[in-house]
Amino acid sequence: MARKQRFREDDDAAIDMTPMLDIVFIMLIFFIVTTSFVKEAGIDVLKPKAAQASSKPSANIFIAIRPNGEIWMDKAAVDIERVGARLESMLAEQPTDIVIIQADKESKHGVVVEVMDAIKAAGIDKISIAAEKK
């Protein structure tokens, strides 16, 4: 006596995609929340060379100073009076504890000191000056 097996299309094995989609969306949210964005100055400067230059942990905020005294933050020129306010708004978006100043080797010392003063006034104590290794 042979038995006849009947297969219905409904009995086919199916993969439930719901748990996988849940995990993918959770991972997407995790990566969006933990991503840090770097606020580059937006210009290239000729940094001074230093024999003792060392690599520091990466920062999220860069401030560039040109030889003519122009200050650049987040790809836009900024007046010296606006550096503190602009820095505070950038810190509100993404808090950090270090700022890197990329001053051109021909820039004036007074402008660099004024920018450092504005950074300290915004509440950041760790300031690094960028230099190239000799």
Side-chain angles (χ1 to χ4, degrees), residues 36-57:
S36 63
F37 297 99
V38 175
K39 303 286 185 178
E40 293 184 8
I43 60 169
D44 291 328
V45 294
L46 187 60
K47 297 178 208 114
K49 296 189 185 312
Q52 299 300 318
S54 63
S55 176
K56 292 285 184 185

Side-chain angles (χ1 to χ4, degrees), residues 24-46:
V24 169
F25 283 125
I26 289 171
M27 287 173 50
L28 178 66
I29 291 169
F30 172 76
F31 288 123
I32 289 172
V33 170
T34 60
T35 302
S36 63
F37 297 99
V38 175
K39 303 286 185 178
E40 293 184 8
I43 60 169
D44 291 328
V45 294
L46 187 60

Side-chain angles (χ1 to χ4, degrees), residues 10-28:
D10 294 340
D11 291 341
D12 289 345
I15 298 174
D16 188 14
M17 299 295 286
T18 306
M20 186 181 75
L21 290 174
D22 289 344
I23 291 173
V24 169
F25 283 125
I26 289 171
M27 287 173 50
L28 178 66

Side-chain angles (χ1 to χ4, degrees), residues 4 24 70 82-83 92 94 104 106 116 120 128 132:
K4 291 185 179 177
V24 169
E70 283 184 344
R82 303 274 182 228
V83 170
Q94 186 172 6
D104 192 279
E106 300 295 325
M116 289 174 71
K120 289 271 190 180
S128 293
E132 289 184 2

Side-chain angles (χ1 to χ4, degrees), residues 5-6 13 16-17 20 28 33 35 40 45 59-60 66 69 78-79 81 88-89 91 93-94 101 107 110-111 126 132:
Q5 292 181 339
R6 293 186 185 166
D16 188 14
M17 299 295 286
M20 186 181 75
L28 178 66
V33 170
T35 302
E40 293 184 8
V45 294
N60 296 336
R66 283 192 161 171
V78 179
D79 291 333
E81 295 85 21
E88 287 175 2
S89 68
L91 288 171
E93 292 174 14
Q94 186 172 6
I101 298 176
S107 63
V111 176
K126 296 180 182 176
E132 289 184 2

Side-chain angles (χ1 to χ4, degrees), residues 51-98:
Q52 299 300 318
S54 63
S55 176
K56 292 285 184 185
S58 62
N60 296 336
I61 299 176
F62 292 86
I63 300 174
I65 302 172
R66 283 192 161 171
N68 62 2
E70 283 184 344
I71 301 166
W72 285 73
M73 295 175 68
D74 199 18
K75 300 179 183 176
V78 179
D79 291 333
I80 190 67
E81 295 85 21
R82 303 274 182 228
V83 170
R86 182 74 177 258
L87 188 58
E88 287 175 2
S89 68
M90 291 169 78
L91 288 171
E93 292 174 14
Q94 186 172 6
T96 186
D97 61 342
I98 188 168

